[in-house]
Amino acid sequence: SFADSSLLSERKRRDREERLNIVLWRQPLVTLQYFFLETLINLKEWTIKLWHRRSILVSFLLTLAVLTATYYIEGTHQQYVRYMEKKFFWCAYWVGLGILSSVGLGTGLHTFLLYLGPHIASVTLAAYECNSVNFPEPPYPDQIICPDEETTEGSISLWAIISKVRLEACMWGAGTAIGELPPYFMARAARLSGAEPDDEEYQEFEEMLEHAETAQDFASRAKLAVQNLVQKVGFFGILACASIPNPLFDLAGITCGHFLVPFWTFFGATLIGKAVIKMHIQKLFVIITFSKHIVEQMVALIGAIPSIGPSLQKPFQEYLEAQRIKLHHKPDSGVPQGENWLSWMFEKLVIVMVCYFILSIINSMAQSYAKRLQQKMYSEEKTK
């Protein structure tokens, strides 16, 4: 029995290494083939699930038809329709970015660093330059321009900037909370059905529970601390884990699902923690970091670096000056829009990270299909 167990563990290890080698830069044709096959299987599974929930689907389509008719029929209600359309797509944009940041699709897209953080930073810099957050709409939020109203120097407050970006930040936080649901549902379904789930994180979680007494390394103790906090404290334990930047929060979702914590207890605590508490902490950090005097001090410190300081300081000064000029001119005023190498580098960084995210999804789905093939092989060997 011990020999069989060790052979099985060795085979699983080899299979895992074999799957990890299925990536676009090593086996491009196999990876793309497996990716398309896995996509077809997922589409088939989703179609079957939708067919079993026909009543919900029909209700959704009827509601969509009514909303479409309301959208296209002329009348006095159109001004409200346009307002709701703008708000809906704005909120959906940030919720979608939040989901992409936390959902388990290969590797998460760091949308806070790429989108929400820069948005809060640009609003902060503009607020201190304009001494106001009443940016004209349109073009805000696509482009920030100082309002024509007369304002006094230093009249902008920290609370005004927080209020200006609260909707975007809370929607992004709600999206990250939604993205934490798959591990919860996977672990809950596995516990209720008694079947062993096809998920390595869950298997790692069960192994951690088995060896809880002998855990020595820091990573294992940290995971156990999260698991114990969530299991013993419940709602407030989940709230505490969700309210701070926590790379181990997936483990909290698996723990809650495994111990059958009620859905609204888990999701409610996660939503409050991520969309309210954590987001206000992150917002404050970004706003304080990009406040006018802090930015000026940072640029001055860059200039104080021996030898290379002045050459590094110059592009930052040029970028800030270009942003100030842009804030005080209308979009149709004909002011030349020069491109700074900092903004050019950031744009290229965003493109590279988005491309890497897409590649990681393709690799992850291809590896999922390879795992299906390996499990099919296991099943055939057991039936022989």
Side-chain angles (χ1 to χ4, degrees), residues 280-300:
H280 276 82
I281 294 171
Q282 290 177 301
K283 271 193 301 181
L284 276 171
F285 175 78
V286 175
I287 291 169
I288 291 171
T289 302
F290 286 89
S291 59
K292 188 175 181 180
H293 65 285
I294 295 291
V295 170
E296 290 174 351
Q297 287 177 6
M298 285 194 294
V299 173

Side-chain angles (χ1 to χ4, degrees), residues 30-300:
V30 173
T31 303
L32 288 173
Q33 180 190 2
Y34 283 9
F35 166 72
F36 285 119
L37 291 172
E38 180 70 11
T39 302
L40 291 174
I41 291 172
N42 287 330
L43 287 174
K44 180 182 176 182
E45 290 175 352
W46 294 340
T47 304
I48 293 171
K49 288 178 181 178
L50 285 175
W51 179 251
H52 289 314
R53 295 168 175 81
R54 294 187 295 275
S55 57
I56 298 174
L57 180 61
V58 170
S59 301
F60 173 76
L61 292 175
L62 288 174
T63 305
L64 187 62
V66 171
L67 291 174
T68 304
T70 306
Y71 182 81
Y72 285 106
I73 293 173
E74 296 295 332
T76 56
H77 66 283
Q78 283 298 322
Q79 57 178 328
Y80 304 107
V81 170
R82 301 303 175 198
Y83 174 79
M84 293 301 296
E85 177 191 19
K86 183 179 178 182
K87 286 294 181 184
F88 173 78
F89 283 111
W90 183 239
C91 293
Y93 172 75
W94 289 111
V95 169
L97 287 176
I99 293 172
L100 289 176
S101 179
S102 61
V103 75
L105 292 172
T107 179
L109 181 65
H110 301 290
T111 52
F112 182 85
L113 295 176
L114 295 179
Y115 297 98
L116 183 58
H119 173 71
I120 297 173
S122 63
V123 170
T124 303
L125 292 171
Y128 280 106
E129 178 63 26
C130 305
N131 293 307
S132 172
V133 290
N134 298 321
F135 312 127
E137 297 187 28
Y140 182 80
D142 298 321
Q143 185 181 357
I144 302 176
I145 296 172
C146 288
D148 295 328
E149 61 191 32
E150 292 293 330
T151 55
T152 57
E153 185 74 22
S155 60
I156 192 69
S157 67
L158 185 68
W159 184 252
I161 302 173
I162 290 174
S163 301
K164 186 69 175 177
V165 296
R166 180 178 291 119
L167 178 65
E168 300 92 295
C170 289
M171 289 298 104
W172 185 87
T176 61
I178 295 170
E180 299 292 354
L181 292 179
Y184 169 83
F185 284 124
M186 177 271 301
R188 184 180 178 86
R191 182 68 184 271
L192 290 173
S193 65
E196 185 177 349
D198 178 20
D199 188 87
E200 291 178 4
E201 286 187 356
Y202 186 79
Q203 292 168 4
E204 182 184 344
F205 167 76
E206 289 196 321
E207 289 175 5
M208 184 190 71
L209 292 181
E210 290 176 6
H211 304 94
E213 301 297 329
T214 58
Q216 296 294 328
D217 59 295
F218 176 77
S220 299
R221 289 202 301 269
K223 291 177 180 179
L224 279 171
V226 171
Q227 184 258 325
N228 289 330
L229 181 66
V230 170
Q231 183 186 357
K232 294 177 181 178
V233 185
F235 179 90
F236 292 102
I238 302 166
L239 183 66
C241 290
S243 299
I244 56 173
N246 186 357
L248 300 176
F249 193 79
D250 274 352
L251 188 64
I254 294 174
T255 301
C256 291
H258 180 79
F259 292 104
L260 303 181
V261 173
F263 170 76
W264 286 110
T265 300
F266 170 72
F267 185 64
T270 304
L271 187 64
I272 294 170
K274 287 183 172 290
V276 180
I277 301 173
K278 181 184 173 185
M279 277 319 306
H280 276 82
I281 294 171
Q282 290 177 301
K283 271 193 301 181
L284 276 171
F285 175 78
V286 175
I287 291 169
I288 291 171
T289 302
F290 286 89
S291 59
K292 188 175 181 180
H293 65 285
I294 295 291
V295 170
E296 290 174 351
Q297 287 177 6
M298 285 194 294
V299 173

Side-chain angles (χ1 to χ4, degrees), residues 302-318:
I302 290 171
I305 299 173
S307 302
I308 61 171
S311 58
L312 282 176
Q313 187 185 45
K314 186 178 179 182
F316 285 97
Q317 289 176 332
E318 290 176 350

Side-chain angles (χ1 to χ4, degrees), residues 325-338:
I325 294 172
K326 195 184 293 184
L327 289 169
H328 290 289
H329 287 81
K330 305 301 178 189
D332 55 352
S333 61
V335 177
Q337 302 292 322

